[in-house]
Amino acid sequence: MSDESRPSPAEMPPDTRASTRTAAVIPAAGRGVRLGPGVPKALRALGGTPMLIHAVRAMAASRGVSLVVVVAPPDGAAEVKSLLDAHALPERTDFLVVPGGESRQESVRLGLDALPATYDTVLVHDAARPLVPVDTVDAVIEAVRDGAPAVVPALPLADTVKQVEPAAVPGEPEPVVATPERARLRAVQTPQGFDRETLVRAHETVTDNVTDDASMVEQLGLTVMVVPGHEEAFKVTRPLDLVLAEAVLARRRLNDGF
Ligand code: C5P
């Protein structure tokens, strides 16, 4: 099929995707200690709804996604399952809950292990990015279906970035080692999209501790492609991010006319 005639994921009817099925894996097994004490980060409420439910809905909003696998805290899988049952989710999408692991990497691998063989494209999306717009999700899926082994959404940086020699004691002054050229840097978001076979191979091969899945594919020697990210796809990490997330939700409600 030529690029011109290829339908975007948004245009595809759910029943004609047999050869290009996409599943989303949401690692949600972290405690989120930087957000302060309390319930695990993914279960914190935003606009009265748990952050995880927002993230699940953000993936299911794409007509290209027909399965969402949530990786829950190891001792919280039953709780997460009832949470999903208690919230309205699109009927065309299936949901699975699996217990997570010690690290984000292990949690993603456990999610991948649970995927039926019929899925050949996989998104990995942080539960901590609850507000990613559907256009960003669709752009990632489309770039994978166009042949990229791995795709990340990313934004240019507002801040200049310095590489430092980390101080032994946090808070102590740190010497600058280098200043990378800002115009060539991007801040990477999720969902990150993968050819399934490539991501499975990356998880089998790369044992270093990494902070995102795409860097594992880079370590295989493959090229990861960047598509434009979105400012609303930010990661809820610190208390101020919760304030911003509530403001984004309030703006959406206003724009939707509620
Ligand atoms: O800690 P960080 O913000 O990088 O976590 C990113 C995502 O990975 C979060 O959604 C978190 O719940 C998830 N995670 C996980 N299993 C872990 C640690 C983190 O699923 N053991």
Side-chain angles (χ1 to χ4, degrees):
M1 193 184 279
S2 74
D3 280 356
E4 291 73 34
S5 59
R6 186 192 296 273
S8 77
E11 291 162 349
M12 286 182 192
D15 56 346
T16 60
R17 286 172 286 118
S19 59
T20 54
R21 298 184 82 203
T22 301
V25 173
I26 302 186
R31 297 245 17 124
V33 283
R34 284 169 290 181
L35 211 50
V39 295
K41 176 160 73 174
L43 305 184
R44 296 282 183 111
L46 277 185
T49 303
M51 193 154 20
L52 173 63
I53 298 295
H54 287 284
V56 168
R57 284 180 175 154
M59 294 301 102
S62 169
R63 293 180 66 80
V65 173
S66 49
L67 171 69
V68 178
V69 178
V70 176
V71 188
D75 56 354
E79 188 187 348
V80 167
K81 175 83 177 51
S82 16
L83 205 63
L84 291 186
D85 289 340
H87 288 84
L89 298 167
E91 274 191 14
R92 63 165 185 268
T93 315
D94 289 331
F95 301 93
L96 272 179
V97 178
V98 299
E102 282 294 306
S103 64
R104 181 186 182 282
Q105 217 164 334
E106 200 187 335
S107 293
V108 171
R109 192 182 53 73
L110 290 165
L112 285 176
D113 287 349
L115 286 187
T118 46
Y119 289 90
D120 55 11
T121 300
V122 183
L123 303 180
V124 180
H125 181 62
D126 287 335
R129 296 184 191 270
L131 303 178
V132 58
V134 68
D135 287 355
T136 308
V137 182
D138 284 344
V140 171
I141 296 173
E142 201 167 355
V144 177
R145 289 184 181 178
D146 279 347
V151 176
V152 298
L155 290 177
L157 296 184
D159 295 327
T160 295
V161 171
K162 302 282 184 197
Q163 187 181 341
V164 299
E165 190 57 49
V169 181
E172 288 289 305
E174 301 172 316
V176 170
V177 174
T179 304
E181 186 190 340
R182 189 175 64 188
R184 296 174 71 94
L185 296 177
R186 300 288 180 268
V188 172
Q189 305 175 324
T190 72
Q192 301 191 346
F194 302 90
D195 160 59
R196 179 207 184 137
E197 190 266 326
T198 303
L199 184 58
V200 168
R201 190 152 57 89
H203 274 264
E204 284 167 357
T205 317
V206 179
T207 49
D208 301 354
N209 212 4
V210 294
T211 50
D212 78 339
D213 296 89
S215 55
M216 302 172 78
V217 173
E218 288 165 52
Q219 288 191 46
L220 294 182
L222 298 172
T223 301
V224 173
M225 297 302 290
V226 170
V227 297
H230 196 284
E231 61 176 357
E232 293 183 1
F234 65 93
K235 182 150 99 175
V236 176
T237 306
R238 298 181 188 84
L240 198 58
D241 300 324
L242 284 171
V243 179
L244 183 59
E246 293 287 358
V248 170
L249 279 178
R251 185 173 68 177
R252 284 186 187 177
R253 277 191 213 107
L254 211 63
N255 289 343
D256 289 347
F258 288 115

